[in-house]
Amino acid sequence: MSRAAGRGVVALSVLFVLLLVSLGARAEQRLSVVATTGMIADAAREIGGDSVEVEGLMGPGIDPHSYRQTRSDIVAMTRADLVLWHGLYLEAQMEEFLQRLAKRQTVVAVAEQLPRERLLGHEDYDDKRDPHVWMDPSLWAKVVVAIRDAMIEARPDREAMFRERADAYLERIERLGDWAAEVTSSVPDEARVLLTAHDAFAYFGRAYGFEVIGIQGISTESEAGLRRIRDLVDLLVERRIGAVFVESSVSDRNIRALVEGAESRGHAVRIAGTLYSDAMGPAGTYEGTYIGMIDHNITTIVRALGGEAPADGMQGRLAEASR
């Protein structure tokens, strides 16, 4: 073999080794995911485990209906391997940006993939669907599948692992739904009225047989007028409803106006607890996970409305402060 040919073989060998190293590095590199809501971020972490790096844009107490992307959000999303957002007009102020971003990189609206016949409309929300699908665990499970599939498409080499972890997570969500059905059935028929700050619980109501009333519409961008407050005070007094709920991501101003209005007419109404509607609980806590968030809501609602549920929730993990 000539010296030139030998150098060529060596060069090809080095190139081959570098290619293998590059492929190996990619295989070890964590999938970078940016998720708009905490619920989506939680699912991505559950599915991906240590092989993903997930950044959630909206933390505890953040209202996704009014949230606008910051400069740091834009940087994070443009650098991510995968951007996951909810859709169904939940992130109303971000929608235009996310649709533009989808033309240049992988951006998936996970709830948009739900069957339209499973989605609820609203008389005050023309041509759009209620986005609060996470309130029904059986419906949220389908969104988790969409998140799993988006992650598999982004990293096909990790499909087996993503599927295995997703299956385990989906089993936990199924158990949550079964437990919710069991304990909500203990609430007396006459007490199955859930009045909250905004109309985020319609899927919960459909799943478990509750009448759901929100002061504001399904978007917190719709303000409640004085007439709406007066009408709801009339409702509280006439139907002798004794418990209402505030939400962690919505001002309690309107709820307190209802309580004061009912009291002025001789009817006592108590604020029975804080529910997690559009955002999960504090990071690093059980309530800061999807399952903990729903466990908290179910436990709070059931116990406040005269049903039976353990004070520490389905798994005995609810924080003392949230009971």
Side-chain angles (χ1 to χ4, degrees):
M1 179 184 296
S2 68
R3 182 177 298 176
R7 285 198 297 269
V9 170
V10 171
L12 286 173
S13 299
V14 170
L15 182 61
F16 181 68
V17 170
L18 290 174
L19 179 61
L20 288 178
V21 170
S22 175
L23 291 174
R26 176 176 170 77
E28 292 299 321
Q29 183 181 6
R30 294 198 293 174
L31 175 67
S32 171
V33 179
V34 170
T36 53
T37 70
M39 293 75 79
I40 296 173
D42 184 57
R45 293 186 185 104
E46 290 285 348
I47 295 167
D50 293 338
S51 71
V52 298
E53 182 178 355
V54 181
E55 179 176 348
L57 300 184
M58 303 178 194
I62 298 298
D63 177 3
H65 299 282
S66 60
Y67 187 85
R68 295 179 183 274
Q69 66 274 9
T70 65
R71 290 184 180 180
S72 61
D73 293 342
I74 294 171
V75 171
M77 286 187 279
T78 54
R79 290 178 176 175
D81 300 317
L82 175 64
V83 176
L84 300 172
W85 62 297
H86 187 84
L88 301 178
Y89 209 55
L90 178 69
E91 304 97 334
Q93 310 306 317
M94 296 180 66
E95 188 165 284
E96 184 178 348
F97 170 78
L98 288 163
Q99 289 171 344
R100 290 201 312 269
L101 186 65
K103 296 178 180 179
R104 52 170 288 182
Q105 64 190 93
T106 305
V107 178
V108 182
V110 290
E112 295 282 355
Q113 300 179 46
L114 289 169
R116 279 299 185 264
E117 63 270 17
R118 295 290 306 276
L119 299 176
L120 296 172
H122 196 281
E123 59 185 10
D124 297 330
Y125 209 49
D126 293 339
D127 301 323
K128 292 183 174 63
R129 297 292 183 267
D130 185 339
H132 303 93
V133 296
W134 56 87
M135 292 301 180
D136 178 354
S138 69
L139 203 52
W140 185 246
K142 296 183 182 300
V143 177
V144 171
V145 170
I147 295 169
R148 178 203 68 189
D149 291 347
M151 294 171 66
I152 289 173
E153 186 169 350
R155 285 289 189 276
D157 56 303
R158 298 175 190 170
E159 177 175 359
M161 186 267 288
F162 287 161
R163 287 189 181 277
E164 181 179 357
R165 291 185 62 91
D167 287 347
Y169 186 47
L170 289 166
E171 286 181 8
R172 291 166 58 203
I173 292 175
E174 183 177 7
R175 288 197 298 272
L176 173 68
D178 291 344
W179 180 81
E182 177 185 348
V183 296
T184 54
S185 68
S186 69
V187 177
D189 290 343
E190 67 275 10
R192 302 175 77 84
V193 180
L194 180 66
L195 197 155
T196 62
H198 88 296
D199 202 357
F201 290 83
Y203 290 103
F204 164 85
R206 182 177 71 177
Y208 304 114
F210 283 73
E211 179 183 356
V212 175
I213 303 168
I215 301 178
Q216 294 172 264
I218 61 177
S219 170
T220 55
E221 294 294 285
S222 59
E223 284 293 335
L226 290 176
R227 181 173 179 178
R228 175 67 172 166
I229 298 295
R230 285 197 301 268
D231 289 345
L232 289 177
V233 168
D234 290 341
L235 179 73
L236 291 173
V237 173
E238 291 168 8
R239 296 179 58 179
R240 311 306 294 173
I241 296 171
V244 295
F245 299 85
V246 296
E247 301 173 30
S248 67
S249 56
V250 182
S251 169
D252 65 358
R253 180 181 65 253
N254 289 328
I255 288 288
R256 295 193 180 280
L258 283 186
V259 171
E260 292 170 5
E263 286 180 348
S264 72
R265 295 176 55 181
H267 176 57
V269 178
R270 66 189 178 95
I271 296 177
T274 300
L275 304 179
Y276 297 117
S277 55
D278 291 340
M280 303 189 303
T285 68
Y286 175 56
E287 291 85 347
T289 67
Y290 169 73
I291 288 177
M293 164 196 189
I294 300 300
D295 187 1
H296 166 91
N297 286 350
I298 296 292
T299 301
T300 302
I301 292 167
V302 168
R303 291 174 62 83
L305 298 183
E308 297 181 2
D312 51 4
M314 178 181 70
Q315 298 182 355
R317 296 181 60 189
L318 292 182
E320 185 70 35
S322 70
R323 297 180 202 170

